[in-house]
Amino acid sequence: MSITMDTTLASLVTNKRRVSALKSLGIVTVGDALTYYPFRVTEPVPLRAIREAAPGQQMAFAAVIRDMRVVPMNARRGYRLEATVDDADFARSCRVPGSTARLTFFSYRKSYVDWVSMRLRAGTSVVVSGMPSEYMGQLQFTHPEILTVAPGAAGTGAGLEGYARGAASGNGAFAGSADPYASAQSAYPPAAAAPSGAALKYDADTVQEALTRVCRPRPVYHASSRISSEHIHETILGLLWMMGARTSSTPDGKLAGAGSADIVAPTTDTIAVQNGEEKSGTTAESGAEALSRSIPDVLPESVRKAKNLMHRAEAFLAIHDPASTDRFKEAIETLRYEEAFVSQTSLLKARSHAHKSAAHSCPLVTDSLRDQFIASLPFSLTAGQQQVIHDIAADLGHDWPMQRLLQGEVGSGKTVVALAAMLQAVDAGYQAVLVAPTQVLAEQHAETIGRMVEQLKPAIPVTLLTGGMKLAARRKALAASASGEPGIIVATHAAFSKTFQAPHLALVVIDEQHRFGVEQRESLNAKTDDGTTPHLLVMTATPIPRTAAMTWFGDLDISWLTELPGGRKPIRTVVVNEADAATMGRMFAHIRARVDAGERAYIVCPRIDADDEENEGGSGVSSAVGSARGRAAASGSSARTAAGGRATRAAADAIGIDDPYETFDENGETVARPPLHAVAEIADRLQKLPQFQGVRFATLTGRDKDDVKTQVMADFAGGETPILVSTTVIEVGVDVKRASCIVIFDADRYGLSQLHQLRGRVGRGGTNSWAFLISRAELGSPAEQRLEVIHHSLDGAEIAQADLEFRGAGDVLGDAQSGGKSSLKLLRVVKDADMIADARTRAEQLLAADPELAGEVQLAGAVLDFTRGNETFLTSS
């Protein structure tokens, strides 16, 4: 069976529970497993004789089992297994006297005790790694790591004295030839034969092999309650073995020799080893060279050599089976540069491809609709708006498609800029489509645009198309767009359906672009009958740092609106500890006073129902993470449960919280956190407070039907229900002028950019406004530090920069944004700016010489995967 990066784990891993647990981390294929990067590696474990042991300090040593006994624990259920070990021969190699220590194991399961007993029979050679302690005056190792050594191995390897010196230097190299274990097998009675019918399998063939394995740095992966870091590592090593790796590469990059550890062949209990493969592989080709046939390099050879980087296969091997921490870091840098190079090549190709396409030219005309519209506005445009409108007008005049990203703070006037562009297209005799992520926002846009253009001559038809429309109205809207009549169409995801046709489409405007995938946006390119590509303007109010935007949106021209129209007052932001009852009470009294003054208040909660277990979670997006991510390093980023597991994507959508800041313990497992607050729970609690007696509440969640959402928002804006308890569905585009207060529960669990977006829902009518961030973060914790950023800053770019630094680029550019798997798991937008710039320069040189990457087949495939997987999204949803 030929194994590739696309081979599914289900076809290789025999333990189906493990397959399921890995799938919950986003690991489905061999490629997913190899790119599930450890978040750290342990330091090499020092070799020490038992007499050199220091309580609380990790150590490793070789010894022989002297005796072993199992003691039932009468005071409580279970058993205690004690084995006495003697390190006389090993201590001699360290030039110290030999000594004894006790290995202790506790378990309620008799089967486990029997298994350990079988392994630790008297006379068995073992290698022990653990943390020593003292109990009743004797040195003790509780639940240490034990590797058993096959009998008869003595005299076949190099001496331990040289090994001890090599291990101290971090490379594990052996020196010398004498084996102090030459007499070890005769020092004690031979191990008893294994029970009838049980084949005793030893962990290592030689003492040296076992010492190398326990002393080498060990990767630690983000784990879950269903699978440990050790089992993740075991699975990945098994896959590497199956793909050809038999030993790791040495620190100098050459094939492993006497000083490196063998990758142990996986058992059929773990990996479905094919017949005849158990002992296959040659010693002449046992490391990265053999692996490279299954894992071809992505980077061009010239780039790899110029940057002095590892081969891709060698990097995977050095990450998952590192000979040293330096080797691990070198491998990470290699794959980090690979991500930078692939991403920049992809963006440059996309930009080049766009300029080769044909588009409708929409030049400005005398007494244009655009100029009429600008003259009719009751306010003056900011300098930023005027400049962006001018730039877009020039782009629309070309016969190749515009591709522009318009970034602006909430309330900076992006809609006015977009409408000016759409009127220019309509004036040229074409159609323009504005796509909004929600029905509420689409209806607001249609109403606002209709009001703004009603005085223009000739009249401009404005058509609303949403998935929640009644059938007759929907058919009428579809017919209007299919007629090809010049006009403006405002739509939701319905614009991506097969029934939507706009034969004379010249301009597509995507509002809050991160809510839509590349495939969806490209589906609009096929809506024209003449084969032209529409001009594209994508807008976002989610702040993106300038350097990051130029990195990830390198295929787009970028415009920023930094000035806010006059009349808006700064939002006062207050962080409130939820345990501070007095401050919470004053906050609710303040909100009641604002409501009595005719204003409105939002209360935001991350969950819908308190009793919905599937909705419990920390993340409504990632992977992302990633990913599995290597983002956890995992980049498959399903929602993570409060207990440390992961919920389904549907549950994540119901939660709505963007929580990329999970905390992990030193073993990579998620740390349990308090359950998130729910809309139903908070609405019920608040209505019972004396501060809100006589005030009507409303609730709004993503589960509500579109007509219900519309009615709820109308009642809220009109004052019938002046307090709205909702999930983050109000994050984007909701515009209620009289809203002056917003309370965000579990604020310490949100991304900074999402908090900034939510905060922008208030103060839109020129009134004084407040944002209250309710937190359960511990004093001095990273979560508290993040909230201090949002507390002291209203600058979206500054907040986004901090968000990137807290989260890392891998999390920001994760699955929730792309709707698929993210290829980026290591690259950091802020810290790796120089690397990204270098990769872009080299990618430009490569594409100048080979525009279609005909000579770089693997790179071309990686570029295609990147385009499909990442979809150039940065912002959080």
Side-chain angles (χ1 to χ4, degrees):
M1 177 181 178
S2 177
I3 300 176
T4 70
M5 297 287 278
D6 295 323
T7 303
T8 61
L9 294 189
S11 65
L12 297 175
V13 179
T14 55
N15 187 328
K16 299 309 174 188
R17 292 182 65 182
R18 184 172 295 189
V19 171
S20 176
L22 290 168
K23 186 177 181 180
S24 72
L25 296 176
I27 305 173
V28 177
T29 66
V30 172
D32 294 334
L34 296 186
T35 56
Y36 191 85
Y37 302 120
F39 68 94
R40 69 179 177 92
V41 288
T42 61
E43 291 297 322
V45 177
L47 287 176
R48 292 180 184 145
I50 292 177
R51 282 190 182 273
E52 299 173 312
Q57 295 184 17
Q58 192 82 9
M59 61 176 283
F61 62 94
V64 176
I65 302 293
R66 175 181 288 177
D67 58 58
M68 183 270 300
R69 65 174 183 156
V70 176
V71 181
M73 293 187 291
N74 297 325
R76 51 184 178 172
R77 270 190 322 115
Y79 305 87
R80 182 177 77 252
L81 185 150
E82 295 178 350
T84 303
V85 293
D86 184 335
D87 75 337
D89 291 299
F90 176 76
R92 191 179 306 123
S93 71
C94 300
R95 296 189 177 93
V96 297
S99 186
T100 62
R102 183 167 53 202
L103 313 181
T104 305
F105 301 84
F106 300 93
S107 180
Y108 291 117
R109 292 185 298 145
K110 185 67 164 58
S111 59
Y112 172 77
V113 173
D114 290 342
W115 176 73
V116 176
S117 300
M118 186 175 66
R119 301 179 74 225
L120 302 186
R121 290 167 296 154
T124 302
S125 294
V126 294
V127 166
V128 181
S129 175
M131 192 88 71
S133 61
E134 191 173 321
Y135 178 70
M136 297 183 67
Q138 186 175 0
L139 196 68
Q140 174 174 284
F141 292 81
T142 305
H143 284 276
E145 179 182 1
I146 301 287
L147 295 184
T148 58
V149 180
T156 61
L160 292 173
E161 184 176 346
Y163 178 83
R165 288 197 301 268
S169 67
N171 60 19
F174 287 95
S177 58
D179 188 352
Y181 277 76
S183 61
Q185 300 305 316
S186 60
Y188 296 93
S196 176
L200 185 59
K201 180 176 175 60
Y202 292 93
D203 299 314
D205 292 332
T206 67
V207 171
Q208 294 90 338
E209 176 192 328
L211 285 170
T212 303
R213 283 169 54 187
V214 300
C215 291
R216 288 161 65 87
R218 189 161 316 173
V220 182
Y221 302 82
H222 284 310
S224 72
S225 58
R226 297 180 61 187
I227 186 168
S228 67
S229 174
E230 288 78 9
H231 283 156
I232 295 171
H233 188 216
E234 177 187 55
T235 303
I236 294 174
L237 288 183
L239 296 172
L240 288 170
W241 192 93
M242 286 287 288
M243 297 177 81
R246 296 298 183 263
T247 64
S248 65
S249 58
T250 56
D252 61 4
K254 299 177 182 177
L255 286 181
S260 54
D262 289 338
I263 295 180
V264 179
T267 67
T268 52
D269 294 335
T270 305
I271 301 288
V273 181
Q274 303 302 300
N275 291 334
E277 282 188 349
E278 289 85 348
K279 298 296 182 182
S280 65
T282 64
T283 56
E285 185 183 55
S286 55
E289 288 184 11
L291 194 62
S292 65
R293 293 200 302 271
S294 300
I295 307 175
D297 211 350
V298 168
L299 288 174
E301 183 73 8
S302 58
V303 173
R304 187 169 68 83
K305 288 185 175 179
K307 297 293 293 181
N308 194 28
L309 302 173
M310 296 180 181
H311 187 284
R312 192 175 202 228
E314 187 181 6
F316 280 138
L317 201 52
I319 285 174
H320 297 295
D321 189 32
S324 67
T325 52
D326 288 342
R327 189 73 171 152
F328 173 83
K329 292 173 184 175
E330 184 183 345
I332 289 290
E333 284 302 296
T334 290
L335 294 179
R336 184 171 284 148
Y337 190 89
E338 178 189 290
E339 290 184 356
F341 194 86
V342 169
S343 65
Q344 295 309 300
T345 304
S346 176
L347 294 173
L348 290 168
K349 277 184 65 67
R351 191 182 187 94
S352 172
H353 177 74
H355 283 194
K356 293 177 182 177
S357 303
H360 292 297
S361 175
C362 303
L364 275 175
V365 297
T366 306
D367 192 29
S368 64
L369 288 170
R370 190 203 75 169
D371 293 341
Q372 289 184 47
F373 161 65
I374 293 174
S376 69
L377 292 172
F379 52 84
S380 298
L381 297 178
T382 65
Q385 286 175 310
Q386 294 177 29
Q387 181 61 51
V388 174
I389 288 173
H390 174 77
D391 292 342
I392 291 174
D395 289 346
L396 292 176
H398 296 146
D399 57 3
W400 65 82
M402 169 182 72
Q403 288 192 298
R404 184 172 291 276
L405 169 69
L406 175 58
Q407 176 181 319
E409 289 281 1
V410 173
S412 60
K414 296 186 298 297
T415 304
V416 170
V417 172
L419 182 51
M422 289 189 287
L423 289 173
Q424 185 172 336
V426 172
D427 222 359
Y430 299 110
Q431 295 169 293
V433 173
L434 170 62
V435 187
T438 65
Q439 176 164 328
V440 170
L441 185 52
E443 290 172 346
Q444 286 186 4
H445 277 316
E447 180 184 351
T448 301
I449 290 171
R451 195 167 57 245
M452 286 179 160
V453 302
E454 62 184 358
Q455 303 298 326
L456 302 184
K457 302 295 182 184
I460 309 297
V462 178
T463 303
L464 175 65
L465 175 63
T466 70
M469 298 174 70
K470 292 184 178 179
L471 184 60
R474 181 178 171 83
R475 285 178 174 171
K476 183 178 179 181
L478 288 171
S481 64
S483 70
E485 178 187 2
I488 295 173
I489 303 160
V490 182
T492 57
H493 289 73
F496 305 120
S497 68
K498 293 181 180 179
T499 56
F500 175 73
Q501 297 295 327
H504 293 157
L505 183 61
L507 172 63
V508 175
V509 179
I510 307 279
D511 193 16
E512 295 308 326
Q513 57 85 30
H514 56 283
R515 298 298 179 103
F516 305 103
V518 161
E519 288 86 351
Q520 289 178 310
R521 298 202 297 260
E522 289 184 347
S523 71
L524 289 173
N525 292 345
K527 300 301 183 183
T528 56
D529 293 338
D530 52 13
T532 58
T533 300
H535 298 282
L536 176 66
L537 175 65
V538 293
M539 305 191 299
T540 180
T542 303
I544 308 167
R546 187 172 294 258
T547 54
M550 294 180 72
T551 298
W552 299 126
F553 298 97
D555 57 333
L556 306 178
D557 296 305
I558 305 172
S559 297
W560 279 270
L561 289 177
T562 56
E563 303 170 68
L564 292 180
R568 292 204 64 178
K569 297 180 179 179
I571 302 169
R572 304 173 196 177
T573 305
V574 183
V575 179
V576 181
N577 188 318
E578 189 173 343
D580 185 350
T583 302
M584 293 283 286
R586 290 196 300 272
M587 175 189 73
F588 291 135
H590 171 80
I591 292 172
R592 175 59 188 263
R594 303 322 306 163
V595 168
D596 289 343
E599 296 169 9
R600 316 281 184 265
Y602 297 103
I603 311 288
V604 178
C605 304
R607 282 198 298 156
I608 297 175
D609 299 319
D611 58 351
D612 187 348
E613 290 184 8
E614 192 179 51
N615 280 345
E616 286 204 33
S619 172
V621 296
S622 300
S623 15
V625 123
S627 254
R629 168 132 7 301
R631 225 150 40 237
S635 274
S637 63
S638 309
R640 291 169 176 134
T641 66
R646 298 193 180 205
T648 62
R649 180 59 192 259
D653 291 340
I655 296 167
I657 186 175
D658 169 15
D659 177 15
Y661 306 118
E662 274 189 302
T663 53
F664 301 89
D665 62 21
E666 63 179 10
N667 294 319
E669 297 196 13
T670 48
V671 176
R673 292 187 286 184
L676 298 165
H677 289 297
V679 167
E681 163 213 351
I682 291 297
D684 182 61
R685 283 171 52 187
L686 295 187
Q687 288 180 85
K688 295 176 181 177
L689 292 178
Q691 291 96 324
F692 296 123
Q693 291 300 309
V695 176
R696 291 187 60 194
F697 282 66
T699 61
L700 182 67
T701 74
R703 288 183 188 165
D704 294 328
K705 294 182 179 179
D706 287 333
D707 56 341
V708 173
K709 291 179 183 177
T710 301
Q711 186 60 51
V712 167
M713 289 307 301
D715 290 345
F716 177 63
E720 292 184 38
T721 51
I723 297 180
L724 177 64
V725 185
S726 77
T727 58
T728 56
V729 292
I730 58 105
E731 175 187 351
V732 173
V734 174
D735 189 2
V736 177
K737 302 296 184 186
R738 298 195 66 80
S740 64
C741 295
I742 184 167
V743 178
I744 304 172
F745 279 91
D746 295 304
D748 51 304
R749 306 277 286 273
Y750 287 81
L752 294 184
S753 293
Q754 192 177 27
L755 287 175
H756 184 62
Q757 276 278 76
L758 289 166
R759 179 171 61 178
R761 295 308 102 205
V762 298
R764 304 172 71 86
T767 61
N768 291 321
S769 53
W770 294 263
F772 298 98
L773 310 181
I774 312 303
S775 167
R776 289 184 279 189
E778 295 181 7
L779 192 66
S781 66
E784 186 191 47
Q785 295 169 22
R786 291 194 303 270
L787 291 181
E788 283 303 300
V789 173
I790 204 88
H791 177 205
H792 294 292
S793 179
L794 293 171
D795 185 332
E798 178 184 326
I799 291 167
Q801 184 83 6
D803 208 10
L804 274 179
E805 292 171 355
F806 276 119
R807 299 166 67 166
D811 288 327
V812 179
L813 191 61
D815 292 357
Q817 291 79 30
S818 67
K821 294 178 181 177
S822 172
S823 307
L824 293 172
K825 302 180 179 182
L826 299 172
L827 200 60
R828 305 159 301 185
V829 170
V830 178
K831 295 181 180 179
D832 298 326
D834 292 342
M835 177 186 288
I836 293 166
D838 179 88
R840 191 176 185 87
T841 300
R842 294 179 188 275
E844 287 173 343
Q845 295 170 354
L846 177 68
L847 290 172
D850 185 4
E852 299 304 320
L853 299 177
E856 300 291 345
V857 177
Q858 296 300 326
L859 176 61
V863 166
L864 184 60
D865 289 342
F866 175 86
T867 304
R868 289 174 175 170
N870 288 286
E871 302 174 324
T872 63
F873 287 113
L874 181 78
T875 50
S876 56
S877 41

